[in-house]
PDB file of all heavy atoms in Angstrom:
ATOM      1  N   GLN A   1       0.884  -1.124   0.032  1.00  0.00           N
ATOM      2  CA  GLN A   1      -0.039   0.008  -0.048  1.00  0.00           C
ATOM      3  C   GLN A   1       0.893   1.277  -0.083  1.00  0.00           C
ATOM      4  O   GLN A   1       1.651   1.454   0.921  1.00  0.00           O
ATOM      5  CB  GLN A   1      -0.934  -0.014   1.239  1.00  0.00           C
ATOM      6  CG  GLN A   1      -1.984   0.960   1.110  1.00  0.00           C
ATOM      7  CD  GLN A   1      -3.198   0.681   2.168  1.00  0.00           C
ATOM      8  OE1 GLN A   1      -3.253  -0.548   2.493  1.00  0.00           O
ATOM      9  NE2 GLN A   1      -3.833   1.627   2.608  1.00  0.00           N
ATOM     10  N   VAL A   2       0.813   1.989  -1.150  1.00  0.00           N
ATOM     11  CA  VAL A   2       1.738   3.174  -1.320  1.00  0.00           C
ATOM     12  C   VAL A   2       0.951   4.354  -1.758  1.00  0.00           C
ATOM     13  O   VAL A   2      -0.119   4.185  -2.177  1.00  0.00           O
ATOM     14  CB  VAL A   2       3.012   2.862  -2.141  1.00  0.00           C
ATOM     15  CG1 VAL A   2       3.832   1.620  -1.641  1.00  0.00           C
ATOM     16  CG2 VAL A   2       2.410   2.277  -3.637  1.00  0.00           C
ATOM     17  N   GLN A   3       1.646   5.397  -1.707  1.00  0.00           N
ATOM     18  CA  GLN A   3       1.091   6.719  -2.398  1.00  0.00           C
ATOM     19  C   GLN A   3       1.440   6.832  -3.829  1.00  0.00           C
ATOM     20  O   GLN A   3       0.651   7.492  -4.571  1.00  0.00           O
ATOM     21  CB  GLN A   3       1.518   7.952  -1.656  1.00  0.00           C
ATOM     22  CG  GLN A   3       1.089   8.043  -0.193  1.00  0.00           C
ATOM     23  CD  GLN A   3      -0.492   8.021  -0.141  1.00  0.00           C
ATOM     24  OE1 GLN A   3      -1.023   8.844  -0.761  1.00  0.00           O
ATOM     25  NE2 GLN A   3      -1.071   7.031   0.572  1.00  0.00           N
ATOM     26  N   LYS A   4       2.574   6.254  -4.325  1.00  0.00           N
ATOM     27  CA  LYS A   4       2.797   6.354  -5.606  1.00  0.00           C
ATOM     28  C   LYS A   4       3.847   5.233  -6.063  1.00  0.00           C
ATOM     29  O   LYS A   4       4.388   4.544  -5.124  1.00  0.00           O
ATOM     30  CB  LYS A   4       3.568   7.652  -6.085  1.00  0.00           C
ATOM     31  CG  LYS A   4       4.976   7.747  -5.396  1.00  0.00           C
ATOM     32  CD  LYS A   4       5.580   9.143  -5.898  1.00  0.00           C
ATOM     33  CE  LYS A   4       6.972   9.198  -5.369  1.00  0.00           C
ATOM     34  NZ  LYS A   4       7.685  10.389  -5.957  1.00  0.00           N
ATOM     35  N   VAL A   5       3.816   4.772  -7.317  1.00  0.00           N
ATOM     36  CA  VAL A   5       4.718   3.768  -7.927  1.00  0.00           C
ATOM     37  C   VAL A   5       5.462   4.359  -9.069  1.00  0.00           C
ATOM     38  O   VAL A   5       4.796   5.159  -9.849  1.00  0.00           O
ATOM     39  CB  VAL A   5       3.825   2.689  -8.298  1.00  0.00           C
ATOM     40  CG1 VAL A   5       4.745   1.591  -9.057  1.00  0.00           C
ATOM     41  CG2 VAL A   5       3.073   2.008  -7.186  1.00  0.00           C
ATOM     42  N   THR A   6       6.817   4.197  -9.057  1.00  0.00           N
ATOM     43  CA  THR A   6       7.503   4.622 -10.137  1.00  0.00           C
ATOM     44  C   THR A   6       7.781   3.428 -11.087  1.00  0.00           C
ATOM     45  O   THR A   6       8.325   2.452 -10.733  1.00  0.00           O
ATOM     46  CB  THR A   6       8.823   5.228  -9.706  1.00  0.00           C
ATOM     47  OG1 THR A   6       8.530   6.406  -8.949  1.00  0.00           O
ATOM     48  CG2 THR A   6       9.634   5.690 -10.979  1.00  0.00           C
ATOM     49  N   MET A   7       7.260   3.707 -12.350  1.00  0.00           N
ATOM     50  CA  MET A   7       7.444   2.389 -13.332  1.00  0.00           C
ATOM     51  C   MET A   7       8.654   2.893 -14.259  1.00  0.00           C
ATOM     52  O   MET A   7       8.664   4.017 -14.817  1.00  0.00           O
ATOM     53  CB  MET A   7       6.178   2.403 -14.156  1.00  0.00           C
ATOM     54  CG  MET A   7       5.008   2.051 -13.301  1.00  0.00           C
ATOM     55  SD  MET A   7       4.806   0.340 -12.849  1.00  0.00           S
ATOM     56  CE  MET A   7       4.740  -0.448 -14.325  1.00  0.00           C
ATOM     57  N   PRO A   8       9.616   1.914 -14.447  1.00  0.00           N
ATOM     58  CA  PRO A   8      10.718   2.265 -15.431  1.00  0.00           C
ATOM     59  C   PRO A   8      10.167   2.121 -16.850  1.00  0.00           C
ATOM     60  O   PRO A   8       9.186   1.322 -17.028  1.00  0.00           O
ATOM     61  CB  PRO A   8      11.783   1.170 -15.036  1.00  0.00           C
ATOM     62  CG  PRO A   8      10.934   0.055 -14.538  1.00  0.00           C
ATOM     63  CD  PRO A   8       9.721   0.794 -13.726  1.00  0.00           C
ATOM     64  N   ALA A   9      10.725   2.799 -17.855  1.00  0.00           N
ATOM     65  CA  ALA A   9      10.452   2.719 -19.220  1.00  0.00           C
ATOM     66  C   ALA A   9      10.948   1.269 -19.532  1.00  0.00           C
ATOM     67  O   ALA A   9      12.017   0.860 -19.347  1.00  0.00           O
ATOM     68  CB  ALA A   9      11.012   3.719 -19.925  1.00  0.00           C
ATOM     69  N   ARG A  10       9.988   0.541 -20.279  1.00  0.00           N
ATOM     70  CA  ARG A  10      10.304  -0.584 -20.882  1.00  0.00           C
ATOM     71  C   ARG A  10       9.831  -0.590 -22.456  1.00  0.00           C
ATOM     72  O   ARG A  10       8.803  -1.194 -22.702  1.00  0.00           O
ATOM     73  CB  ARG A  10       9.766  -1.767 -20.272  1.00  0.00           C
ATOM     74  CG  ARG A  10      10.266  -1.933 -18.794  1.00  0.00           C
ATOM     75  CD  ARG A  10       9.869  -3.143 -18.065  1.00  0.00           C
ATOM     76  NE  ARG A  10      10.368  -3.260 -16.708  1.00  0.00           N
ATOM     77  CZ  ARG A  10       9.632  -3.024 -15.596  1.00  0.00           C
ATOM     78  NH1 ARG A  10       8.433  -2.631 -15.670  1.00  0.00           N
ATOM     79  NH2 ARG A  10      10.335  -3.180 -14.478  1.00  0.00           N
ATOM     80  N   PRO A  11      10.549   0.121 -23.146  1.00  0.00           N
ATOM     81  CA  PRO A  11       9.936   0.356 -24.615  1.00  0.00           C
ATOM     82  C   PRO A  11       9.874  -0.937 -25.355  1.00  0.00           C
ATOM     83  O   PRO A  11      10.800  -1.666 -25.435  1.00  0.00           O
ATOM     84  CB  PRO A  11      10.940   1.233 -25.295  1.00  0.00           C
ATOM     85  CG  PRO A  11      12.168   1.324 -24.376  1.00  0.00           C
ATOM     86  CD  PRO A  11      11.745   0.858 -23.081  1.00  0.00           C
ATOM     87  N   PHE A  12       8.724  -1.219 -26.041  1.00  0.00           N
ATOM     88  CA  PHE A  12       8.544  -2.266 -26.902  1.00  0.00           C
ATOM     89  C   PHE A  12       8.089  -1.889 -28.329  1.00  0.00           C
ATOM     90  O   PHE A  12       8.244  -2.469 -29.317  1.00  0.00           O
ATOM     91  CB  PHE A  12       7.440  -3.192 -26.396  1.00  0.00           C
ATOM     92  CG  PHE A  12       6.262  -2.554 -25.896  1.00  0.00           C
ATOM     93  CD1 PHE A  12       5.175  -2.256 -26.721  1.00  0.00           C
ATOM     94  CD2 PHE A  12       6.136  -2.099 -24.560  1.00  0.00           C
ATOM     95  CE1 PHE A  12       4.130  -1.655 -26.240  1.00  0.00           C
ATOM     96  CE2 PHE A  12       4.952  -1.420 -24.128  1.00  0.00           C
ATOM     97  CZ  PHE A  12       3.949  -1.192 -24.956  1.00  0.00           C
ATOM     98  N   LEU A  13       7.670  -0.586 -28.485  1.00  0.00           N
ATOM     99  CA  LEU A  13       7.162  -0.120 -29.720  1.00  0.00           C
ATOM    100  C   LEU A  13       8.446   0.777 -30.267  1.00  0.00           C
ATOM    101  O   LEU A  13       9.136   1.465 -29.555  1.00  0.00           O
ATOM    102  CB  LEU A  13       5.907   0.824 -29.728  1.00  0.00           C
ATOM    103  CG  LEU A  13       4.829  -0.017 -29.470  1.00  0.00           C
ATOM    104  CD1 LEU A  13       3.652   0.944 -29.127  1.00  0.00           C
ATOM    105  CD2 LEU A  13       4.434  -0.920 -30.468  1.00  0.00           C
ATOM    106  N   GLY A  14       8.612   0.780 -31.541  1.00  0.00           N
ATOM    107  CA  GLY A  14       9.701   1.589 -32.230  1.00  0.00           C
ATOM    108  C   GLY A  14      10.295   0.817 -33.325  1.00  0.00           C
ATOM    109  O   GLY A  14       9.960  -0.381 -33.703  1.00  0.00           O
ATOM    110  N   VAL A  15      11.141   1.357 -33.990  1.00  0.00           N
ATOM    111  CA  VAL A  15      11.866   0.789 -35.203  1.00  0.00           C
ATOM    112  C   VAL A  15      13.256   0.797 -34.837  1.00  0.00           C
ATOM    113  O   VAL A  15      13.999   1.745 -34.753  1.00  0.00           O
ATOM    114  CB  VAL A  15      11.542   1.628 -36.456  1.00  0.00           C
ATOM    115  CG1 VAL A  15      12.440   1.102 -37.612  1.00  0.00           C
ATOM    116  CG2 VAL A  15      10.011   1.779 -36.750  1.00  0.00           C
ATOM    117  N   SER A  16      13.881  -0.494 -34.778  1.00  0.00           N
ATOM    118  CA  SER A  16      15.283  -0.728 -34.343  1.00  0.00           C
ATOM    119  C   SER A  16      16.019  -0.441 -35.793  1.00  0.00           C
ATOM    120  O   SER A  16      15.463  -0.384 -36.784  1.00  0.00           O
ATOM    121  CB  SER A  16      15.496  -2.003 -33.912  1.00  0.00           C
ATOM    122  OG  SER A  16      15.331  -3.005 -34.932  1.00  0.00           O
ATOM    123  N   ASP A  17      17.285  -0.403 -35.667  1.00  0.00           N
ATOM    124  CA  ASP A  17      18.119  -0.483 -36.924  1.00  0.00           C
ATOM    125  C   ASP A  17      17.872  -1.700 -37.763  1.00  0.00           C
ATOM    126  O   ASP A  17      17.849  -1.548 -39.005  1.00  0.00           O
ATOM    127  CB  ASP A  17      19.716  -0.415 -36.552  1.00  0.00           C
ATOM    128  CG  ASP A  17      20.094   0.897 -35.950  1.00  0.00           C
ATOM    129  OD1 ASP A  17      19.287   1.942 -36.077  1.00  0.00           O
ATOM    130  OD2 ASP A  17      21.093   0.935 -35.326  1.00  0.00           O
ATOM    131  N   ASP A  18      17.750  -2.852 -37.169  1.00  0.00           N
ATOM    132  CA  ASP A  18      17.435  -4.119 -37.939  1.00  0.00           C
ATOM    133  C   ASP A  18      16.037  -3.898 -38.518  1.00  0.00           C
ATOM    134  O   ASP A  18      15.887  -4.394 -39.763  1.00  0.00           O
ATOM    135  CB  ASP A  18      17.473  -5.399 -37.042  1.00  0.00           C
ATOM    136  CG  ASP A  18      18.922  -5.787 -36.707  1.00  0.00           C
ATOM    137  OD1 ASP A  18      19.878  -5.266 -37.338  1.00  0.00           O
ATOM    138  OD2 ASP A  18      19.050  -6.541 -35.641  1.00  0.00           O
ATOM    139  N   ASP A  19      15.094  -3.375 -37.798  1.00  0.00           N
ATOM    140  CA  ASP A  19      13.776  -3.172 -38.442  1.00  0.00           C
ATOM    141  C   ASP A  19      13.874  -2.314 -39.666  1.00  0.00           C
ATOM    142  O   ASP A  19      13.277  -2.653 -40.750  1.00  0.00           O
ATOM    143  CB  ASP A  19      12.726  -2.529 -37.500  1.00  0.00           C
ATOM    144  CG  ASP A  19      12.516  -3.380 -36.241  1.00  0.00           C
ATOM    145  OD1 ASP A  19      12.648  -4.730 -36.362  1.00  0.00           O
ATOM    146  OD2 ASP A  19      12.042  -2.851 -35.128  1.00  0.00           O
ATOM    147  N   ARG A  20      14.604  -1.256 -39.516  1.00  0.00           N
ATOM    148  CA  ARG A  20      14.824  -0.311 -40.638  1.00  0.00           C
ATOM    149  C   ARG A  20      15.291  -1.032 -41.804  1.00  0.00           C
ATOM    150  O   ARG A  20      14.801  -0.826 -42.999  1.00  0.00           O
ATOM    151  CB  ARG A  20      15.579   0.854 -40.220  1.00  0.00           C
ATOM    152  CG  ARG A  20      15.798   1.948 -41.304  1.00  0.00           C
ATOM    153  CD  ARG A  20      16.826   2.965 -40.840  1.00  0.00           C
ATOM    154  NE  ARG A  20      17.952   2.546 -40.169  1.00  0.00           N
ATOM    155  CZ  ARG A  20      19.063   2.095 -40.873  1.00  0.00           C
ATOM    156  NH1 ARG A  20      19.132   1.980 -42.115  1.00  0.00           N
ATOM    157  NH2 ARG A  20      20.151   1.669 -40.077  1.00  0.00           N
ATOM    158  N   ASP A  21      16.409  -1.808 -41.630  1.00  0.00           N
ATOM    159  CA  ASP A  21      16.969  -2.604 -42.795  1.00  0.00           C
ATOM    160  C   ASP A  21      16.008  -3.526 -43.334  1.00  0.00           C
ATOM    161  O   ASP A  21      15.929  -3.694 -44.527  1.00  0.00           O
ATOM    162  CB  ASP A  21      18.223  -3.259 -42.228  1.00  0.00           C
ATOM    163  CG  ASP A  21      19.333  -2.378 -41.797  1.00  0.00           C
ATOM    164  OD1 ASP A  21      19.330  -1.192 -42.304  1.00  0.00           O
ATOM    165  OD2 ASP A  21      20.390  -2.948 -41.074  1.00  0.00           O
ATOM    166  N   ASP A  22      15.244  -4.209 -42.498  1.00  0.00           N
ATOM    167  CA  ASP A  22      14.165  -5.206 -43.029  1.00  0.00           C
ATOM    168  C   ASP A  22      13.037  -4.419 -43.780  1.00  0.00           C
ATOM    169  O   ASP A  22      12.745  -4.998 -44.822  1.00  0.00           O
ATOM    170  CB  ASP A  22      13.523  -5.909 -41.887  1.00  0.00           C
ATOM    171  CG  ASP A  22      14.496  -6.961 -41.203  1.00  0.00           C
ATOM    172  OD1 ASP A  22      15.647  -7.236 -41.834  1.00  0.00           O
ATOM    173  OD2 ASP A  22      14.244  -7.388 -40.151  1.00  0.00           O
ATOM    174  N   ILE A  23      12.781  -3.306 -43.306  1.00  0.00           N
ATOM    175  CA  ILE A  23      11.764  -2.563 -44.076  1.00  0.00           C
ATOM    176  C   ILE A  23      12.236  -2.134 -45.396  1.00  0.00           C
ATOM    177  O   ILE A  23      11.602  -2.279 -46.371  1.00  0.00           O
ATOM    178  CB  ILE A  23      11.184  -1.343 -43.337  1.00  0.00           C
ATOM    179  CG1 ILE A  23      10.406  -1.793 -42.009  1.00  0.00           C
ATOM    180  CG2 ILE A  23      10.407  -0.310 -44.108  1.00  0.00           C
ATOM    181  CD1 ILE A  23      10.064  -0.752 -41.010  1.00  0.00           C
ATOM    182  N   LEU A  24      13.544  -1.591 -45.501  1.00  0.00           N
ATOM    183  CA  LEU A  24      14.207  -1.177 -46.675  1.00  0.00           C
ATOM    184  C   LEU A  24      14.328  -2.413 -47.698  1.00  0.00           C
ATOM    185  O   LEU A  24      14.111  -2.199 -48.935  1.00  0.00           O
ATOM    186  CB  LEU A  24      15.449  -0.470 -46.493  1.00  0.00           C
ATOM    187  CG  LEU A  24      15.374   1.029 -45.772  1.00  0.00           C
ATOM    188  CD1 LEU A  24      16.733   1.498 -45.498  1.00  0.00           C
ATOM    189  CD2 LEU A  24      14.633   1.770 -46.639  1.00  0.00           C
ATOM    190  N   ASP A  25      14.606  -3.533 -47.095  1.00  0.00           N
ATOM    191  CA  ASP A  25      14.725  -4.756 -47.843  1.00  0.00           C
ATOM    192  C   ASP A  25      13.469  -5.129 -48.634  1.00  0.00           C
ATOM    193  O   ASP A  25      13.345  -5.492 -49.756  1.00  0.00           O
ATOM    194  CB  ASP A  25      15.292  -5.880 -47.119  1.00  0.00           C
ATOM    195  CG  ASP A  25      16.739  -5.827 -46.741  1.00  0.00           C
ATOM    196  OD1 ASP A  25      17.428  -5.041 -47.327  1.00  0.00           O
ATOM    197  OD2 ASP A  25      17.149  -6.559 -45.876  1.00  0.00           O
ATOM    198  N   VAL A  26      12.280  -5.030 -47.854  1.00  0.00           N
ATOM    199  CA  VAL A  26      10.907  -5.323 -48.393  1.00  0.00           C
ATOM    200  C   VAL A  26      10.620  -4.350 -49.475  1.00  0.00           C
ATOM    201  O   VAL A  26      10.182  -4.692 -50.578  1.00  0.00           O
ATOM    202  CB  VAL A  26       9.915  -5.232 -47.222  1.00  0.00           C
ATOM    203  CG1 VAL A  26       8.488  -5.250 -47.958  1.00  0.00           C
ATOM    204  CG2 VAL A  26      10.080  -6.442 -46.346  1.00  0.00           C
ATOM    205  N   ILE A  27      10.849  -3.099 -49.160  1.00  0.00           N
ATOM    206  CA  ILE A  27      10.620  -1.997 -50.326  1.00  0.00           C
ATOM    207  C   ILE A  27      11.463  -2.285 -51.539  1.00  0.00           C
ATOM    208  O   ILE A  27      10.991  -2.098 -52.709  1.00  0.00           O
ATOM    209  CB  ILE A  27      10.737  -0.661 -49.684  1.00  0.00           C
ATOM    210  CG1 ILE A  27       9.820  -0.379 -48.556  1.00  0.00           C
ATOM    211  CG2 ILE A  27      10.750   0.405 -50.834  1.00  0.00           C
ATOM    212  CD1 ILE A  27       9.996   0.893 -47.878  1.00  0.00           C
ATOM    213  N   GLN A  28      12.764  -2.442 -51.291  1.00  0.00           N
ATOM    214  CA  GLN A  28      13.738  -2.730 -52.470  1.00  0.00           C
ATOM    215  C   GLN A  28      13.231  -3.974 -53.374  1.00  0.00           C
ATOM    216  O   GLN A  28      13.346  -3.857 -54.447  1.00  0.00           O
ATOM    217  CB  GLN A  28      15.083  -2.878 -51.899  1.00  0.00           C
ATOM    218  CG  GLN A  28      16.008  -3.068 -53.012  1.00  0.00           C
ATOM    219  CD  GLN A  28      17.490  -3.212 -52.547  1.00  0.00           C
ATOM    220  OE1 GLN A  28      17.826  -3.202 -51.472  1.00  0.00           O
ATOM    221  NE2 GLN A  28      18.491  -3.504 -53.350  1.00  0.00           N
ATOM    222  N   ALA A  29      12.827  -5.091 -52.506  1.00  0.00           N
ATOM    223  CA  ALA A  29      12.465  -6.237 -53.282  1.00  0.00           C
ATOM    224  C   ALA A  29      11.176  -5.969 -54.109  1.00  0.00           C
ATOM    225  O   ALA A  29      11.062  -6.522 -55.198  1.00  0.00           O
ATOM    226  CB  ALA A  29      12.083  -7.367 -52.316  1.00  0.00           C
ATOM    227  N   ARG A  30      10.256  -5.217 -53.698  1.00  0.00           N
ATOM    228  CA  ARG A  30       8.974  -4.936 -54.452  1.00  0.00           C
ATOM    229  C   ARG A  30       9.453  -4.026 -55.577  1.00  0.00           C
ATOM    230  O   ARG A  30       8.931  -4.316 -56.739  1.00  0.00           O
ATOM    231  CB  ARG A  30       7.986  -4.212 -53.587  1.00  0.00           C
ATOM    232  CG  ARG A  30       7.400  -4.964 -52.429  1.00  0.00           C
ATOM    233  CD  ARG A  30       6.468  -5.993 -53.017  1.00  0.00           C
ATOM    234  NE  ARG A  30       5.760  -6.613 -51.967  1.00  0.00           N
ATOM    235  CZ  ARG A  30       4.635  -7.308 -52.133  1.00  0.00           C
ATOM    236  NH1 ARG A  30       4.145  -7.438 -53.243  1.00  0.00           N
ATOM    237  NH2 ARG A  30       4.176  -7.991 -50.956  1.00  0.00           N
ATOM    238  N   ILE A  31      10.333  -2.957 -55.480  1.00  0.00           N
ATOM    239  CA  ILE A  31      10.731  -2.208 -56.526  1.00  0.00           C
ATOM    240  C   ILE A  31      11.417  -3.049 -57.512  1.00  0.00           C
ATOM    241  O   ILE A  31      11.210  -3.047 -58.816  1.00  0.00           O
ATOM    242  CB  ILE A  31      11.536  -1.029 -56.090  1.00  0.00           C
ATOM    243  CG1 ILE A  31      10.645  -0.071 -55.224  1.00  0.00           C
ATOM    244  CG2 ILE A  31      12.194  -0.411 -57.250  1.00  0.00           C
ATOM    245  CD1 ILE A  31      11.412   1.043 -54.562  1.00  0.00           C
ATOM    246  N   GLN A  32      12.456  -3.946 -57.115  1.00  0.00           N
ATOM    247  CA  GLN A  32      13.152  -4.742 -57.912  1.00  0.00           C
ATOM    248  C   GLN A  32      12.235  -5.700 -58.834  1.00  0.00           C
ATOM    249  O   GLN A  32      12.467  -5.828 -60.060  1.00  0.00           O
ATOM    250  CB  GLN A  32      14.168  -5.618 -57.339  1.00  0.00           C
ATOM    251  CG  GLN A  32      15.195  -6.217 -58.163  1.00  0.00           C
ATOM    252  CD  GLN A  32      16.100  -5.265 -58.830  1.00  0.00           C
ATOM    253  OE1 GLN A  32      16.369  -4.272 -58.366  1.00  0.00           O
ATOM    254  NE2 GLN A  32      16.497  -5.648 -59.993  1.00  0.00           N
ATOM    255  N   SER A  33      11.206  -6.276 -58.088  1.00  0.00           N
ATOM    256  CA  SER A  33      10.319  -7.162 -58.892  1.00  0.00           C
ATOM    257  C   SER A  33       9.507  -6.374 -60.024  1.00  0.00           C
ATOM    258  O   SER A  33       9.266  -6.873 -61.022  1.00  0.00           O
ATOM    259  CB  SER A  33       9.282  -7.867 -57.885  1.00  0.00           C
ATOM    260  OG  SER A  33       8.229  -7.035 -57.549  1.00  0.00           O
ATOM    261  N   ARG A  34       9.145  -5.070 -59.704  1.00  0.00           N
ATOM    262  CA  ARG A  34       8.532  -4.239 -60.697  1.00  0.00           C
ATOM    263  C   ARG A  34       9.541  -3.999 -61.940  1.00  0.00           C
ATOM    264  O   ARG A  34       9.048  -3.960 -63.029  1.00  0.00           O
ATOM    265  CB  ARG A  34       8.043  -2.931 -60.090  1.00  0.00           C
ATOM    266  CG  ARG A  34       7.065  -3.145 -59.127  1.00  0.00           C
ATOM    267  CD  ARG A  34       5.751  -3.453 -59.771  1.00  0.00           C
ATOM    268  NE  ARG A  34       4.662  -3.589 -58.712  1.00  0.00           N
ATOM    269  CZ  ARG A  34       3.562  -3.018 -58.800  1.00  0.00           C
ATOM    270  NH1 ARG A  34       3.169  -2.291 -59.828  1.00  0.00           N
ATOM    271  NH2 ARG A  34       2.582  -3.229 -57.910  1.00  0.00           N
ATOM    272  N   ILE A  35      10.656  -3.677 -61.593  1.00  0.00           N
ATOM    273  CA  ILE A  35      11.705  -3.345 -62.652  1.00  0.00           C
ATOM    274  C   ILE A  35      11.966  -4.537 -63.500  1.00  0.00           C
ATOM    275  O   ILE A  35      12.199  -4.448 -64.703  1.00  0.00           O
ATOM    276  CB  ILE A  35      12.961  -2.864 -62.005  1.00  0.00           C
ATOM    277  CG1 ILE A  35      12.876  -1.521 -61.351  1.00  0.00           C
ATOM    278  CG2 ILE A  35      14.213  -2.835 -63.015  1.00  0.00           C
ATOM    279  CD1 ILE A  35      14.045  -1.041 -60.639  1.00  0.00           C
ATOM    280  N   GLN A  36      11.954  -5.783 -62.864  1.00  0.00           N
ATOM    281  CA  GLN A  36      12.268  -6.991 -63.722  1.00  0.00           C
ATOM    282  C   GLN A  36      11.030  -7.430 -64.380  1.00  0.00           C
ATOM    283  O   GLN A  36      11.107  -8.479 -65.083  1.00  0.00           O
ATOM    284  CB  GLN A  36      12.822  -8.042 -62.656  1.00  0.00           C
ATOM    285  CG  GLN A  36      14.156  -7.649 -62.184  1.00  0.00           C
ATOM    286  CD  GLN A  36      14.617  -8.649 -61.138  1.00  0.00           C
ATOM    287  OE1 GLN A  36      13.911  -9.460 -60.609  1.00  0.00           O
ATOM    288  NE2 GLN A  36      15.916  -8.607 -60.858  1.00  0.00           N
ATOM    289  N   GLY A  37       9.958  -6.721 -64.335  1.00  0.00           N
ATOM    290  CA  GLY A  37       8.754  -7.032 -65.191  1.00  0.00           C
ATOM    291  C   GLY A  37       7.687  -7.960 -64.525  1.00  0.00           C
ATOM    292  O   GLY A  37       6.695  -8.175 -65.233  1.00  0.00           O
ATOM    293  N   ASN A  38       7.912  -8.176 -63.291  1.00  0.00           N
ATOM    294  CA  ASN A  38       6.722  -8.887 -62.555  1.00  0.00           C
ATOM    295  C   ASN A  38       5.816  -7.779 -62.174  1.00  0.00           C
ATOM    296  O   ASN A  38       5.586  -7.571 -60.992  1.00  0.00           O
ATOM    297  CB  ASN A  38       7.356  -9.632 -61.417  1.00  0.00           C
ATOM    298  CG  ASN A  38       6.361 -10.468 -60.678  1.00  0.00           C
ATOM    299  OD1 ASN A  38       5.322 -10.610 -61.186  1.00  0.00           O
ATOM    300  ND2 ASN A  38       6.718 -11.209 -59.629  1.00  0.00           N
ATOM    301  N   VAL A  39       5.009  -7.288 -63.087  1.00  0.00           N
ATOM    302  CA  VAL A  39       4.195  -6.248 -62.906  1.00  0.00           C
ATOM    303  C   VAL A  39       2.938  -6.555 -61.962  1.00  0.00           C
ATOM    304  O   VAL A  39       2.257  -5.749 -61.394  1.00  0.00           O
ATOM    305  CB  VAL A  39       3.569  -5.559 -64.244  1.00  0.00           C
ATOM    306  CG1 VAL A  39       4.630  -5.006 -64.979  1.00  0.00           C
ATOM    307  CG2 VAL A  39       2.757  -6.684 -64.961  1.00  0.00           C
TER     308      VAL A  39
END
């Protein structure tokens, strides 16, 4: 039984460097498939 509780930040949402690379890979693969004629 307390007057206040301090919660530490535990971030789970966001874009990591690996996420950014994966997103760019997905976009690049889609663009490449368009360039190669897979319309």
Side-chain angles (χ1 to χ4, degrees):
Q1 193 165 332
V2 297
Q3 293 300 307
K4 71 176 183 174
V5 174
T6 302
M7 302 285 292
R10 296 182 178 108
F12 47 89
L13 292 171
V15 177
S16 70
D17 290 344
D18 287 343
D19 295 336
R20 180 184 45 81
D21 292 345
D22 291 344
I23 290 168
L24 291 174
D25 287 347
V26 164
I27 294 168
Q28 181 179 355
R30 291 289 185 163
I31 291 170
Q32 192 65 36
S33 73
R34 295 288 181 130
I35 290 170
Q36 291 174 345
N38 187 0
V39 296

